[in-house]
Amino acid sequence: MSLVSDRRGFDLGRGFYFLWCGESLAVIGTALMEFALGVWVYTHTGSAVAFANVVLAATLPAVLFLPLAGGLADRISHRVIIVCCDVSLAVLLLGVMALLWFERLEPLHLYIFNCLASIVSAFRKPAYQAAVSTIVAPDKFTRASGLISISKNASALVAPLLAGAIMAKAGLVTILAVDLVTFCSGTLLVIKAFSHVRPLAAHPDAMAKGTVFGGALGNVAAALKFFVAERLMAGLLVYTMMRSALLALATLMMTPLLLSTLGSQVLGMAYTWAALGGLAGAGLLISMGNPRRLMAMVAVADLLLAGCVVALGMVSQAVAYFALAFVAITMASVADASVNALWMRRIPAGSRASVFALISMLTIAATSLAVIVGGFLVDHWFQPALMPGGLYADSIGRWLGTGPGRGVGMLFVVAGALFALLPLGVLLYGPMRRLDEAPTPMAVARMVDGPQVDPL
């Protein structure tokens, strides 16, 4: 079923704000849950491998199911998908709470729970992204992306502190109870959000696709054809994958970098400043309204981000880490929201969820590969070479220093320098730099075929 906003002029409106608040509660609940479950597993097993398996179980299933999820979201009401996913997560939480209450909970149960929750989230994410891109007017995409970024960064700032405090005083079962309340409240807000949009006739292409699963597979193929036909968008896909991989690598590797030199307290403060930077970047983008030359702004922000990553690998003072983390994530937040706005503007209405799902799948895969390769390089090459007497101790070691943590520092320098080539290429290549100024596929279709209805 297709839906469009009933707000005149397609402004952000009540529908978006209710949807955003519901998603914000879901994001906070998920962050609380992931932190608490990881702590519980590590506390009860003392195994870093077991902790890593919890993260892996919450990631890999999404890669397998995202293409199908995107196709289904282009065929089925987004409201139905989001509400069903929220209810499913609530049922899974009740199952974990029951096992915990009767003292039957084991790490294996949490692996299964994270696997199932990852599958559910894979179906929810593209439906939410497509719903936002349809409810919100194109000239408001940047502001909407900024608000979504605020939710993401606020949860990163608040969730670990809140979860740690609750775990210390009331235990895991209370965390899960709070999660249950947030998911249920978020579901009610989503239902309220869709009460502010009205149904219209389905898109003709969607009606012609036959069965739901047949249409889903067809939409996956359509997503691939979109990138084959739109070379600049294929370039943006590669750019999105690379920048997400660098950001994840820098964020995760910050832990061994600071723990090996300055300790856990400095690490916690660095992450706090990074989250504050994320909020600052999102706020800056919202205040700009609808900026022109969005792709050029992304490239400049990412160039500054790459410079901060290189500098993070070279400094050794806590204050410098805090300042660089703040600036880096401020720039990353601006670029993230801007890239998301570009995707919402450029993806054809009939394949939004499918394309979003394909982007998420490839981004997760690229991020996982970058983290694996980065860890391997640090352990087997960079760190041994930068120990006293190592291969690079008398050359690169004079600039980066030698000893614990310097291998991660070298990884930051290499990764940041290589990534800087991408935004420089964008700034130098005119068509890519002016990507947001070119006619959208939807506009071209309207000029050729006349007005079309945007499916929600």
Side-chain angles (χ1 to χ4, degrees):
M1 181 177 289
S2 301
L3 297 146
V4 295
S5 171
D6 64 355
R7 295 275 299 179
R8 189 173 182 178
F10 277 89
D11 62 6
L12 290 181
R14 291 184 179 180
F16 169 76
Y17 287 118
F18 279 119
L19 186 63
W20 173 60
C21 289
E23 178 67 10
S24 298
L25 286 175
V27 168
I28 292 173
T30 300
L32 287 170
M33 180 178 63
E34 289 177 349
F35 181 88
L37 294 183
V39 170
W40 189 91
V41 168
Y42 189 78
T43 302
H44 283 73
T45 64
S47 170
V49 173
F51 175 80
N53 287 339
V54 171
V55 177
L56 197 63
T59 304
L60 289 184
V63 176
L64 301 177
F65 282 88
L66 271 169
L68 177 61
L72 289 176
D74 280 327
R75 293 278 300 173
I76 301 176
S77 166
H78 300 157
R79 169 177 52 189
V80 171
I81 292 177
I82 294 172
V83 171
C84 287
C85 288
D86 287 347
V87 171
S88 299
L89 285 172
V91 171
L92 290 173
L93 276 172
L94 285 173
V96 175
M97 290 174 67
L99 289 171
L100 188 63
W101 184 264
F102 291 106
E103 299 182 351
R104 298 290 184 87
L105 187 64
E106 300 289 342
L108 177 61
H109 298 141
L110 295 185
Y111 299 154
I112 296 172
F113 169 81
N114 272 356
C115 181
L116 295 175
S118 176
I119 294 171
V120 172
S121 297
F123 283 88
R124 191 185 191 282
K125 183 175 181 179
Y128 171 73
Q129 291 176 310
V132 170
S133 65
T134 306
I135 289 176
V136 178
D139 62 347
K140 300 293 194 305
F141 282 164
T142 305
R143 181 169 295 176
S145 296
L147 288 171
I148 294 169
S149 181
I150 282 181
S151 302
K152 177 182 175 182
N153 287 286
S155 67
L157 179 63
V158 173
L161 299 174
L162 183 60
I166 296 175
M167 284 280 286
K169 294 185 177 180
L172 179 60
V173 69
T174 305
I175 289 281
L176 297 180
V178 171
D179 290 339
L180 189 61
V181 172
T182 59
F183 281 125
C184 292
S185 301
T187 302
L188 294 176
L189 287 170
V190 168
I191 294 172
K192 180 67 174 177
F194 283 98
S195 71
H196 288 271
V197 295
R198 58 184 176 84
L200 289 180
H203 194 282
D205 291 342
M207 295 295 293
K209 287 179 182 176
T211 65
V212 169
F213 283 95
L217 295 176
N219 277 354
V220 173
L224 294 172
K225 290 180 181 178
F226 167 72
F227 286 111
V228 172
E230 295 281 339
R231 292 185 178 181
L232 288 179
M233 300 310 295
L236 182 61
L237 174 62
V238 174
Y239 188 91
T240 301
M241 291 166 56
M242 296 296 291
R243 69 176 311 279
S244 297
L246 171 77
L247 191 58
L249 185 66
T251 303
L252 292 174
M253 288 298 173
M254 183 70 74
T255 298
L257 177 65
L258 294 184
L259 283 181
S260 61
T261 54
L262 298 175
S264 58
Q265 186 174 2
V266 172
L267 174 65
M269 286 297 297
Y271 276 118
T272 299
W273 279 101
L276 290 173
L279 292 174
L284 176 63
L285 199 60
I286 292 171
S287 67
M288 295 173 67
N290 185 35
R292 299 178 60 186
R293 300 182 180 274
L294 203 57
M295 191 63 207
M297 187 172 71
V298 169
V300 171
D302 277 339
L303 194 58
L304 292 173
L305 168 62
C308 289
V309 172
V310 171
L312 281 167
M314 302 177 70
V315 301
S316 58
Q317 302 296 322
V319 174
Y321 283 123
F322 300 157
L324 288 169
F326 179 85
V327 175
I329 304 303
T330 297
M331 294 298 103
S333 181
V334 169
D336 275 340
S338 300
V339 167
N340 191 44
L342 281 170
W343 283 119
M344 288 193 288
R345 290 181 186 179
R346 304 289 304 182
I347 298 173
S351 302
R352 279 183 181 137
S354 297
V355 176
F356 276 129
L358 186 62
I359 293 168
S360 296
M361 181 190 72
L362 294 176
T363 299
I364 291 172
T367 299
S368 301
L369 180 62
V371 172
I372 292 171
V373 171
F376 179 84
L377 289 175
V378 170
D379 287 344
H380 297 279
W381 184 6
F382 295 162
Q383 188 57 54
L386 286 174
M387 292 300 288
L391 181 62
Y392 300 150
D394 295 328
S395 53
I396 299 176
R398 293 183 178 180
W399 295 91
L400 299 182
T402 57
R406 289 298 85 203
V408 181
M410 184 173 177
L411 176 67
F412 273 50
V413 172
V414 172
L418 290 176
F419 174 72
L421 298 176
L422 279 177
L424 280 174
V426 168
L427 291 173
L428 294 174
Y429 183 53
M432 194 69 185
R433 187 179 67 251
R434 295 187 294 270
L435 174 64
D436 50 314
E437 300 174 11
T440 64
M442 186 185 303
V444 173
R446 282 174 175 163
M447 288 188 290
V448 175
D449 301 325
Q452 298 182 15
V453 177
D454 292 349
L456 184 67

